Amino acid sequence: MSRLPIYDIEDALLDALKTHTRLIIQAPTGSGKSTQVPQMLLTNGVLGDGEAVVLQPRRIAARMLGSRVAEELGTGLGEIVGYQVRFEKAVSPRTRIRYVTEGILLRRMIDDPLLRGVKALVFDEFHERHLYGDISLAQAVQLQRTRRPDLVIIVMSATLDTAALEPYLDPCHVLTSEGRTFPVDISYRDTRSRPSDPPVWELAADTLGRAIRQGAEGDALVFMPGAFEIHKTIQAIERLDEARGAVVLPLHGELNPRDQDAAVSRYDRRKIIVATNVAETSITIDGVRIVIDSGLARIPDYDPNRGINTLLIEKISRASSDQRAGRAGRTAPGHCYRLWSEPEHRERPLQETPEVRRLDLAETALMLKAAGFADLSLFPWLEAPDATTLERAETLLRDLGAADHNGVITETGRRMLAFPAHPRYARMLLAAETYGCVYQACLIAALTQGRDLLVRRTGKDSRDRRDDVLGDAAWSDFLILMRAWSFASRNQFRLDACKRMGIHAQAARQADAVFRQFLTIAERENLTVTERAADDDAVRKCILAGFSDHVARRIDKGTLRCEVVHNRRGDLSRDSVVQDADLIVAAEIHEIEGRSVNTVLSLATAIEAEWLADLYPEDMNTAVHVEYDPSSKRVQAEEQLRFRDLVLTRKRLDTPPADEAAMILAREVEAGRLTLKQWNHGVDQFIARLNFLSRTCPELELSPIDGDDRLHLIAQVCHGAAGYKDIKDRPVQPVIDAWLSSAQRHTLDTHAPERLALPGGRKAKLTYPPDGDPYISQRIQELYGLTETPRIAMKRCPVLIHVLAPNMREVQITADLKRFWQEHYPRIKQELQRRYPKHEWKDLNGTAPT
C-alpha cells in the first residue's frame, strides 16, 4: 500500500498527544484518516492495553472500514479490528480497534459510565453532525473532565467548521493535513433548474454519456437521493451506447453486504456506481475519476409541531457538494459534473443542519435521563435543540411512563433502555408481558428495525401469490408482515421462494437475527418469551401501549383520510389491510414527497374505542362542540366523546348552548357577515359619544365600550337565538341603554350632547367620529349670531364647525369661530353672494353678524 497523505502529520499527532487529550484533525477526502489514524494510535502504543472506538455516521461505513483495516493489519475481522452496529457485530476480547455507529457508543456510556477498557474515542466525519455523535461527544468531554482525564478524544473531518467546535473542546490541538488529492474540474449546468426539466436520472445519464463521448476516463460515481432514483438512473445508464460493456452497480445502505462489497470491488472494465450519500465519506471506491452529482439527498427530519418524521428530497449543502466532488480526485485528475447552475450553488447553505435540530429526540432524551439529566436543558449541548422538539420528546416519555412529571426517569424507563429500539417499541415490549404476547411483540419490533420486508413494486403473479398465502384480511399490517416473515422462515429465507412471494429475503433474514436478539434481551429482563398462541386483542392492545399518540379515526368510508391525535390529519396507506376499520393506531406517520407532500399513516392496527377508555381513562373526555354553518346561517352543536383531542363519536344536539351560540352569532355580526337591522347610526353615535367623554373627562368614571365590550353587547342581543332569522330584527337600543345608569346617562347628555343649541332656537346635530373631534355641519346663515366656538366635555373640547354654503357644500372647517367671522367670512360672502343673491348675507361690523 502506498504511503497515504495522513502520514505527513503522524509525528505531529504523536507529539500533540503528549500534551493534549483532545485533538481536531482536518484532512481532505482520500487522505486515509479513517483507516490510518486508529492504526497510528495502536502501533505507536497510544492505546496501551485499551482500545480505540471509532465512531462512524453510517453502518455501511463502519462495516467496510473494519474489514479494510483488518485486512491491512493481516488479521481476521473481529479479532484485532472489528465493528459493531445495531443488531450486528464482529468483535472479540482481543479487539483493539472497534468501528461503531454512534448510538452504540452512547448506550455503552450508559451501561458503563467510565468506559472501562476504552483509551481513545475517534469521532470520524463529524461534519455530518449526526445526533448521537453530538451527544456522545458531549458525554465524552464531561467524562474526560471529571473521571477519565486519560481518555483521548479525536474529532476528524474533511470539511469541518471548527468555529463552534474549538471553544467547546478547549483546550484542544488542531492538526491539518493538506493531503495530496488530484485536481478536480467542476462543471455546472448552463441554466437554472426548472420544474419542466427532465427527471434527474435522465439528466445524470445524459451528462455521463456526454462526458464519455468527450473522452472522460476512469470509473464513474453518480450521486442520487434514494434507492428509487438509483434504480431509475441505472435503467437510464444501461440504455446508453457509451456505457455498453461497463459494470453498473447500486450502492446504498439497504443493500446486503455482498452487494455493497461488489460496488467497491475492482473490475477490468469501466465501473459506474450509482450511490446515495453513503459514498460521500469514509468508503473508498478506487478508480473514480468522474462524479455526477444530482445535488440531492433524502434527509431525515422531524416536525415537532405535528410529531411526525419526514424523509424529503432536499438540496445538499456546499460542504457535501465538495465532499462528493473530492471523490473524483483520489487517484488521478478528475471531473465533477453538477446538475445545477453556479448561481444556484452559491444559494445553497454552507453546511448541513445538525441532526440535533431536525430529528425526533425521544430515544436520545431517554438515554440522557438515564445518564442523570432529568432537566435536558442542563445538558452541555454542542448545539441546543429546538425547545419544541425537546418538549415533544419529554411529553412522549411521560405518555409512555418512561419519565415522571419532574422529568426523572422511572423504573419503566430504565427497563425500556434494555431494548435497542425507539422508546415506543421498548414500551410495547414491556407491555407485552402484561398481555402475554412477548414472543409476538419481539417479532413485531424486529420487523420494523430494518428495510421493508415486502417488495413495494411487484408483479401481478407475486401479488396474487402473496394474497393467497398471506391473506388480504387482518387486524393489523403487522400481522401481514408476521405471516410474510413466517413464510420466509419456513423456507429457510431462500431467495427463490421469497422472490416469488415479493419478500425481501435479506430483510427477512436480518429481521430474524434482530428477533432473536430481542428475545434474548426480553428473557434477560425476566419477560416470558415462550412461543405460544396469543389473543389477537392482546397483541393489538400491546401495540396501542407504544403508540397511543398515533391513534387515528377514519373521516369517512369513501376516502383514506384520517384525523389523528394532536390535531393532525393524514392518509392511511393504500397498502394497509385495515381500510375498513373506523379506529386505528399507526406505528409510523411519515411525510413523503412525491408529486406533492403527503402525510401517510402506515403499519396500522385496528383498535376498539372501549380499549382507550380502559387503558387511558384520564385521557377520555366528553365535550360539547359548537360551530357556525355559513350555508344555513345557524349555530350547530354536537356532543363529542374525545380521546385526548381526537373525536371518537358525535351526537347532534337540537339546541346549542345559549352563551356559546350568542357569542358565535355576535362574531359573525361584528365581522360584517350578518346584519342587525336595529343597530343603526344612532347606536354607533351613542358608543362614540360615550367613548369620547370617557377619554376626555376620565374623572367622570364612565366606562367606555371597547371592542370586547361591543362584542358582548351584540352577544346580549343574540342571546337565546341559534340562527340569523332569530336575531336580524331584534331590538338593540334597550341593550345599549342598559350600559349606563340614569345618572350616568344624564352626565353623558350634559357633557357630550346629541345636539347643540344655536341662536334662534335651532339645534345642530353633533357628530362624534370614533377617533376624531366632535363637529357640527351648518350653513352660514344658520350660524349668524353664534360669535364664539361652542365647547363641550366640561368646556375642554371645542366643537369643530363645518361651514356650508347654501348648496350644502363645505367651504370652511374651523375651531375658532371668532377668527372665521373676522378673517374668512368677508371673502366667502363676496364669492357666494354673487352665486346666491336671494339668500341673506349680513354685513360684518367688527363683530359676527347677528
Side-chain angles (χ1 to χ4, degrees), residues 739-800:
W739 185 262
L740 299 178
S741 67
S742 58
Q744 289 173 324
R745 183 60 184 259
H746 177 73
T747 299
L748 177 66
D749 292 340
T750 301
H751 298 293
E754 292 184 76
R755 293 184 175 273
L756 190 67
L758 297 177
R762 295 185 301 275
K763 289 190 175 182
K765 183 179 179 181
L766 268 163
T767 299
Y768 293 81
D771 300 315
D773 293 327
Y775 67 89
I776 60 172
S777 298
Q778 296 292 309
R779 287 180 297 179
I780 291 177
Q781 287 76 13
E782 294 168 343
L783 296 172
Y784 289 161
L786 189 62
T787 59
E788 298 287 343
T789 301
R791 304 181 74 85
I792 59 174
M794 302 174 71
K795 303 297 183 180
R796 294 176 186 174
C797 180
V799 176
L800 283 178

Side-chain angles (χ1 to χ4, degrees), residues 54 177 267 378 391 489 599 610 613 620 648 741 760 821:
V54 187
S177 170
Y267 295 85
L378 300 180
E391 177 55 33
S489 179
T599 300
E610 55 265 28
M620 302 296 295
L648 301 179
S741 67
W821 292 125

Side-chain angles (χ1 to χ4, degrees), residues 637-653:
E638 61 184 19
E639 186 178 78
Q640 298 178 346
L641 175 63
R642 297 176 182 172
F643 171 65
R644 297 174 185 165
D645 59 358
L646 178 67
V647 178
L648 301 179
T649 62
R650 291 180 165 90
K651 178 183 177 182
R652 180 61 59 86
L653 300 179

Side-chain angles (χ1 to χ4, degrees), residues 136-375:
S136 299
L137 178 61
Q139 286 284 76
V141 171
Q142 286 289 100
L143 176 60
Q144 189 196 63
R145 285 174 175 164
T146 54
R147 306 169 70 183
R148 284 290 309 278
D150 63 307
L151 184 66
V152 173
I153 299 173
I154 299 176
V155 180
M156 305 194 304
S157 176
T159 56
L160 186 61
D161 179 8
T162 62
L165 188 59
E166 278 193 62
Y168 186 77
L169 293 179
D170 186 59
C172 68
H173 189 78
V174 180
L175 295 170
T176 301
S177 170
E178 298 300 331
R180 289 195 301 274
T181 56
F182 291 87
V184 176
D185 292 330
I186 296 178
S187 298
Y188 293 91
R189 278 187 62 176
D190 294 333
T191 59
R192 297 179 74 93
S193 304
R194 299 182 300 272
S196 59
D197 287 340
V200 67
W201 48 85
E202 292 184 11
L203 290 174
D206 290 345
T207 302
L208 177 62
R210 185 171 65 252
I212 295 174
R213 288 195 302 271
Q214 293 172 353
E217 298 179 352
D219 295 339
L221 176 58
V222 183
F223 284 100
M224 283 289 147
F228 172 74
E229 292 79 13
I230 287 176
H231 174 70
K232 301 296 285 187
T233 304
I234 290 176
Q235 287 183 328
I237 290 174
E238 288 177 337
R239 292 194 294 266
L240 293 174
D241 291 337
E242 294 84 356
R244 189 170 295 133
V247 179
V248 186
L249 296 169
L251 179 60
H252 54 82
E254 293 185 359
L255 293 174
N256 61 53
R258 184 186 62 208
D259 291 336
Q260 291 174 352
D261 291 340
V264 300
S265 299
R266 295 177 182 271
Y267 295 85
D268 57 1
R269 48 199 168 120
R270 190 193 296 270
K271 177 174 63 176
I272 302 170
I273 306 302
V274 188
T276 60
N277 54 4
V278 300
E280 272 185 30
T281 56
S282 300
I283 299 172
T284 298
I285 307 177
D286 293 326
V288 171
R289 295 179 63 185
I290 305 167
V291 166
I292 297 173
D293 188 0
S294 67
L296 304 171
R298 288 191 183 273
I299 298 177
D301 207 339
Y302 177 71
D303 185 340
N305 295 306
R306 289 175 291 168
I308 62 173
N309 294 308
T310 65
L311 190 63
L312 305 183
I313 296 176
E314 297 181 13
K315 297 175 182 177
I316 61 173
S317 68
R318 281 180 268 173
S320 291
S321 302
D322 292 341
Q323 290 272 15
R324 293 182 177 187
R327 293 284 152 177
R330 284 199 164 192
T331 58
H335 202 122
C336 175
Y337 301 85
R338 289 175 173 166
L339 303 184
W340 64 95
S341 68
E342 195 164 5
E344 288 175 293
H345 184 72
R346 291 192 293 268
E347 295 167 1
R348 295 187 172 216
L350 287 173
Q351 302 279 342
E352 307 295 347
T353 302
E355 282 189 350
V356 72
R357 299 192 64 82
R358 56 182 171 85
L359 289 188
D360 176 16
L361 298 179
E363 190 171 0
T364 302
L366 183 59
M367 291 183 181
L368 292 181
K369 289 182 181 299
F373 292 93
D375 185 350

Side-chain angles (χ1 to χ4, degrees), residues 410-709:
T410 62
E411 181 58 32
T412 297
R414 291 196 180 277
R415 294 186 67 197
M416 288 164 58
L417 277 171
F419 298 95
H422 189 281
R424 297 180 184 281
Y425 287 103
R427 183 67 185 90
M428 182 187 74
L429 290 167
L430 293 182
E433 177 70 11
T434 301
Y435 296 111
C437 54
V438 174
Y439 185 88
Q440 290 80 1
C442 285
L443 180 55
I444 288 172
L447 292 170
T448 64
Q449 302 305 308
R451 65 183 297 190
D452 289 342
L453 188 65
L454 298 178
V455 178
R456 291 184 181 275
R457 296 174 179 85
T458 187
K460 184 177 185 302
D461 290 344
S462 291
R463 289 198 302 272
D464 290 343
R465 279 192 293 270
R466 185 189 289 176
D467 290 344
D468 289 341
V469 175
L470 307 184
D472 57 359
W475 43 259
S476 174
D477 294 326
F478 282 121
L479 184 57
I480 299 298
L481 294 182
M482 294 164 75
R483 291 171 181 170
W485 175 85
S486 295
F487 172 86
S489 179
R490 289 195 305 271
N491 288 274
Q492 291 79 48
F493 306 105
R494 293 198 320 272
L495 183 61
D496 57 338
C498 291
K499 187 174 182 179
R500 287 196 305 271
M501 197 65 62
I503 298 172
H504 286 295
Q506 183 64 24
R509 188 184 300 275
Q510 291 172 347
D512 181 68
V514 175
F515 173 40
R516 304 302 166 189
Q517 290 191 31
F518 275 144
L519 287 175
T520 299
I521 296 170
E523 188 172 26
R524 190 170 65 232
E525 293 297 305
N526 298 317
L527 305 185
T528 306
V529 299
T530 307
E531 181 179 2
R532 59 184 179 183
D535 179 69
D536 289 348
D537 287 358
V539 179
R540 293 156 72 189
K541 290 177 182 178
C542 175
I543 295 170
L544 174 59
F547 297 90
S548 64
D549 63 328
H550 282 189
V551 172
R553 184 185 62 83
R554 291 283 298 281
I555 294 176
D556 57 64
K557 290 291 187 181
T559 72
L560 297 175
R561 297 290 289 164
C562 297
E563 292 178 333
V564 189
V565 168
H566 297 320
N567 290 312
R568 296 169 289 177
R569 286 199 172 194
D571 291 342
L572 179 63
S573 171
R574 294 186 180 278
D575 297 329
S576 177
V577 297
V578 295
Q579 295 186 10
D580 292 332
D582 292 324
L583 199 62
I584 64 171
V585 57
E588 293 184 356
I589 300 180
H590 284 284
E591 198 169 71
I592 299 176
E593 188 175 50
R595 292 181 180 271
S596 59
V597 176
N598 297 313
T599 300
V600 178
L601 283 60
S602 56
L603 292 182
T605 299
I607 60 172
E608 303 298 332
E610 55 265 28
W611 297 351
L612 298 173
D614 292 341
L615 298 176
Y616 305 99
E618 69 281 2
D619 291 329
M620 302 296 295
N621 62 85
T622 301
V624 174
H625 176 69
V626 184
E627 64 182 6
Y628 179 72
D629 178 21
S631 60
S632 64
K633 297 183 179 179
R634 291 191 63 82
V635 177
Q636 299 176 343
E638 61 184 19
E639 186 178 78
Q640 298 178 346
L641 175 63
R642 297 176 182 172
F643 171 65
R644 297 174 185 165
D645 59 358
L646 178 67
V647 178
L648 301 179
T649 62
R650 291 180 165 90
K651 178 183 177 182
R652 180 61 59 86
L653 300 179
D654 294 333
T655 304
D659 290 346
E660 291 182 64
M663 187 56 67
I664 289 174
L665 290 172
R667 291 193 184 99
E668 293 299 307
V669 171
E670 188 73 344
R673 292 184 287 267
L674 299 179
T675 303
L676 295 174
K677 294 182 179 180
Q678 299 299 316
W679 191 290
N680 52 30
H681 178 72
V683 173
D684 287 330
Q685 278 296 287
F686 173 86
I687 296 174
R689 290 166 58 207
L690 174 60
N691 291 349
F692 158 76
L693 190 58
S694 175
R695 183 174 63 249
T696 309
C697 304
E699 68 271 26
L700 295 177
E701 297 183 349
L702 296 178
S703 298
I705 298 176
D706 58 19
D708 288 342
D709 296 327

Side-chain angles (χ1 to χ4, degrees), residues 33-106:
K33 60 184 179 299
S34 300
T35 57
Q36 304 310 306
V37 168
Q39 294 186 61
M40 293 177 190
L41 301 178
L42 176 65
T43 58
N44 288 285
V46 174
L47 299 181
D49 295 330
E51 69 173 333
V53 176
V54 187
L55 276 79
Q56 288 295 322
R58 297 178 180 85
R59 288 178 292 180
I60 182 174
R63 186 185 68 80
M64 288 187 166
L65 287 169
S67 299
R68 178 73 172 264
V69 174
E71 181 182 349
E72 291 178 2
L73 290 177
T75 180
L77 181 62
E79 296 179 7
I80 301 300
V81 182
Y83 75 91
Q84 184 176 355
V85 299
R86 182 179 279 193
F87 305 124
E88 182 183 346
K89 64 181 177 179
V91 294
S92 71
R94 296 179 57 210
T95 299
R96 305 293 302 286
I97 299 175
R98 184 190 304 241
Y99 288 88
V100 304
T101 44
E102 295 147 327
I104 297 295
L105 175 61
L106 191 54

